Amino acid sequence: MVLVAHGWVAVMGGPVRSRIASESPEQSGVCKSFCRNKGHGFITPHDGGKDIFVHISDIEGEFVPKEGDVVSFRTCPLPPKNVEKQAVMVVIQEMKGAHERWWDSSST
């Protein structure tokens, strides 16, 4: 399936998006917030930039991120306007406290 909107091309999750992400520099930051029920949150980059949106589908690994976790990530433009950026290829590098796995029942 191919979707074309606002100049953005995605093929089922997208080779285009993957290419853009792989070409962006790896960054690090701290999970500012993440709501498992809503499926998104924000990362504060270590470089002092603006907080970056992260979607549940862009988190790699088996654990749900929590406030204070140190993460690594890359960025892609956030559709539809492609003005803001979103974090992709997000990996928890340092966990703060106990963590739920994705398949555990949500307590929040």
Side-chain angles (χ1 to χ4, degrees), residues 26-88:
E26 186 172 78
Q27 300 178 53
S28 64
V30 175
C31 180
K32 178 179 182 177
S33 64
F34 189 84
C35 179
R36 180 179 180 172
N37 293 334
K38 292 181 181 179
H40 63 81
F42 292 90
I43 295 170
T44 301
H46 281 147
D47 69 7
K50 190 174 177 180
D51 289 347
I52 299 173
F53 175 82
V54 59
H55 187 265
I56 193 170
S57 64
D58 294 310
I59 298 168
E60 300 185 13
E62 62 186 281
F63 294 101
V64 178
K66 291 174 52 174
E67 181 180 337
D69 287 346
V70 176
V71 297
S72 62
F73 62 95
R74 296 179 185 271
T75 60
C76 277
L78 182 61
K81 295 181 182 179
N82 296 329
V83 175
E84 301 290 331
K85 295 200 180 272
Q86 80 176 63
V88 295

Side-chain angles (χ1 to χ4, degrees), residues 13-28:
V16 172
R17 184 171 163 188
S18 296
R19 180 184 53 78
I20 292 169
S22 66
E23 291 173 355
S24 75
E26 186 172 78
Q27 300 178 53
S28 64

Side-chain angles (χ1 to χ4, degrees), residues 84-98:
E84 301 290 331
K85 295 200 180 272
Q86 80 176 63
V88 295
M89 301 169 67
V90 178
V91 177
I92 300 172
Q93 300 295 331
E94 293 179 33
M95 290 193 262
K96 301 297 180 189

